[in-house]
Amino acid sequence: TATTEIYTLSLHDALPISAILPSGSNITQLQLPMLRLTQENDSWQRHPEKPQHSADADVELVDAWQNAAALKIELVENFKHLKANVVIYLKGRKTPLSMHYHTHNEQHYLTRLDNGIRYSIPADVAISLALQLQNNIKESVSNADNTLNKSSH
């Protein structure tokens, strides 16, 4: 049908179908809700900097993004109101891939803002993509609160 053909064509640059990024793409900058990595020469620059964080962890994070796959892909119509909280710059591509990450009923989703493709990703993939950074901050605040409570008794 015409709908199927349009859907297939709109997925063309996302092949293989489960891949979140186009096959063979090279990330030059990755902007996540709480972190930005920029490739400079042959290394990754992290903003904000974390002295205890290793360069290997940054490489692993970029590799995770380059190889990430979705459980399910669907085309959504109502995506124009979403704001980008993940922006990925790819070598050789003029415009970055802008995505909106969110959770709903314990499901994790990435929606591309250029074409409305929504990727359903497993929780472990969200963790490997550092999308759980917000949870880490909540956990850190909770741990700090627990430490304060213990020291005040």
Side-chain angles (χ1 to χ4, degrees), residues 68-84:
L71 289 173
K72 181 172 126 181
I73 299 174
E74 57 191 327
L75 190 59
V76 294
E77 293 180 13
N78 189 12
F79 66 94
K80 296 292 184 186
H81 68 285
L82 298 174
K83 296 193 184 317

Side-chain angles (χ1 to χ4, degrees), residues 81-133:
H81 68 285
L82 298 174
K83 296 193 184 317
N85 55 13
V86 174
V87 180
I88 303 170
Y89 291 82
L90 301 174
K91 187 175 184 177
R93 184 178 169 118
K94 291 181 183 180
T95 57
L97 288 178
S98 296
M99 299 184 188
H100 176 77
Y101 168 73
H102 70 281
T103 59
H104 180 70
N105 294 333
E106 298 188 28
Q107 297 294 315
H108 299 263
Y109 299 100
L110 276 168
T111 303
R112 279 185 50 175
L113 301 182
D114 60 336
N115 58 16
I117 296 173
R118 182 168 70 180
Y119 302 92
S120 175
I121 57 175
D124 63 326
V125 171
I127 290 168
S128 72
L129 300 179
L131 293 171
Q132 88 303 344
L133 286 172

Side-chain angles (χ1 to χ4, degrees), residues 44-62:
W44 290 97
Q45 302 303 310
R46 172 181 275 269
H47 307 279
E49 292 182 27
K50 286 188 172 185
Q52 72 277 13
H53 207 81
S54 74
D56 289 341
D58 294 338
V59 170
E60 287 175 18
L61 176 58
V62 171

Side-chain angles (χ1 to χ4, degrees), residues 125-145:
V125 171
I127 290 168
S128 72
L129 300 179
L131 293 171
Q132 88 303 344
L133 286 172
Q134 296 155 332
N135 293 338
N136 286 350
I137 289 170
K138 289 177 191 171
E139 191 175 295
S140 296
V141 169
S142 175
N143 289 342
D145 288 346

